[in-house]
C-alpha cells in the first residue's frame, strides 16, 4: 500500500527571501563599485607600463634575431608608440619607411599620457644588433589622471628598469 503525502512539499524561494538577497547584493555593489572605479587609473598605468616594457624587450630580442637595429618611436601627440626593424636604407635612418617590418604598434590606454618629452611630439629609442641601446641611456615617463607617475629607464647595456612615483619627483 502506497501512502500519498497529504501536504505538498513546496520548493523554491519566497518573495521575502528573494528581496533580502537582492538587498544584500545591492549593498555589496554599492561598496565595491566606487572602490573599483578609484583603482582603475592606477591599473591602466600599470598595464601601459607592462605593455611598453614588453614592447622594449621584444624590440631588443628582435634586433638580435634580425641582426638589425630595432627602433621604438613614442608619439606624445597621438599617445601611441610603434616598434619596427630599421633596415632601410642600409644601416637604418631612425624613421619608419614603408617597407620596414612593424614589430608592435599600440595606443596608450585612456587616462594615461606620455610625459617625458615636453619639447617634442615624438621620442625615439632603439636597440642595435647586439641588444644594446642604440640611442644611449633613455627614459620614458607616463602619468595617469590621478597624477601618479611611472618611469621606464633604458640603460646603455639595454636593460630596462621601472620606477613609480606619486609626485613625479621621488622615485622608488
Amino acid at each position: 500500500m502506497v501512502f500519498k503525502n497529504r501536504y505538498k512539499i513546496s520548493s523554491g524561494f519566497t518573495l521575502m527571501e528573494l528581496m533580502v538577497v537582492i538587498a544584500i547584493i545591492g549593498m555589496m555593489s554599492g561598496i565595491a563599485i566606487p572602490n573599483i572605479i578609484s583603482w582603475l587609473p592606477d591599473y591602466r598605468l600599470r598595464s601601459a607600463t607592462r605593455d611598453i616594457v614588453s614592447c622594449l624587450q621584444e624590440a631588443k630580442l628582435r634586433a638580435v634575431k634580425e641582426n638589425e637595429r630595432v627602433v621604438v618611436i613614442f608619439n606624445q601627440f597621438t599617445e601611441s608608440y610603434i616598434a619596427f626593424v630599421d633596415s632601410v636604407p642600409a644601416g637604418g635612418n631612425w624613421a619608419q619607411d614603408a617597407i620596414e617590418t612593424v614589430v608592435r604598434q599600440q595606443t596608450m590606454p585612456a587616462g594615461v599620457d606620455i610625459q617625458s618629452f615636453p619639447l617634442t611630439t615624438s621620442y625615439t629609442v632603439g636597440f642595435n644588433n647586439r641588444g644594446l641601446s642604440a640611442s644611449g641611456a633613455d627614459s620614458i615617463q607616463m602619468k595617469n589622471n590621478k597624477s601618479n607617475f611611472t618611469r621606464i629607464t633604458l640603460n646603455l647595456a639595454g636593460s630596462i628598469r621601472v620606477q613609480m612615483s606619486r609626485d613625479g619627483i621621488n622615485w622608488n
Side-chain angles (χ1 to χ4, degrees):
M1 177 178 221
V2 176
F3 294 101
K4 290 189 176 181
N5 192 354
R6 289 184 181 177
Y7 304 102
K8 273 189 165 179
I9 298 174
S10 61
S11 61
F13 302 107
T14 65
L15 182 60
M16 184 58 79
E17 291 170 334
L18 190 59
M19 295 298 284
V20 168
V21 169
I22 290 173
I24 291 172
I25 290 173
M27 285 188 294
M28 289 175 60
S29 64
I31 294 169
I33 288 175
N35 288 334
I36 291 171
I37 289 171
S38 71
W39 294 334
L40 203 53
D42 290 333
Y43 173 78
R44 286 182 177 151
L45 181 62
R46 285 191 309 271
S47 175
T49 302
R50 281 191 303 267
D51 289 344
I52 289 175
V53 168
S54 173
C55 177
L56 291 173
Q57 289 173 339
E58 186 177 359
K60 183 167 125 176
L61 292 172
R62 191 73 178 263
V64 173
K65 178 184 173 190
E66 301 283 333
N67 200 27
E68 293 280 353
R69 178 172 47 215
V70 175
V71 174
V72 182
I73 298 176
F74 296 90
N75 189 322
Q76 243 184 327
F77 182 70
T78 62
E79 296 295 340
S80 63
Y81 56 94
I82 185 168
F84 58 91
V85 179
D86 190 23
S87 58
V88 177
N93 60 357
W94 291 90
Q96 185 186 15
D97 299 310
I99 61 171
E100 291 177 329
T101 306
V102 173
V103 175
R104 186 184 291 190
Q105 185 171 5
Q106 204 157 350
T107 303
M108 301 298 284
V112 177
D113 300 320
I114 300 171
Q115 293 286 311
S116 285
F117 350 98
L119 300 176
T120 61
T121 57
S122 66
Y123 188 71
T124 305
V125 298
F127 296 95
N128 65 18
N129 61 352
R130 293 181 292 159
L132 304 175
S133 174
S135 54
D138 290 300
S139 66
I140 298 110
Q141 186 171 309
M142 295 171 291
K143 175 184 167 192
N144 68 6
N145 53 12
K146 284 178 55 180
S147 293
N148 292 332
F149 297 83
T150 300
R151 180 168 59 194
I152 302 169
T153 305
L154 174 66
N155 69 16
L156 292 172
S159 93
I160 302 162
R161 181 173 148 205
V162 176
Q163 295 175 300
M164 307 292 261
S165 175
R166 295 277 180 210
D167 57 8
I169 299 168
N170 301 311
W171 298 90
N172 59 359

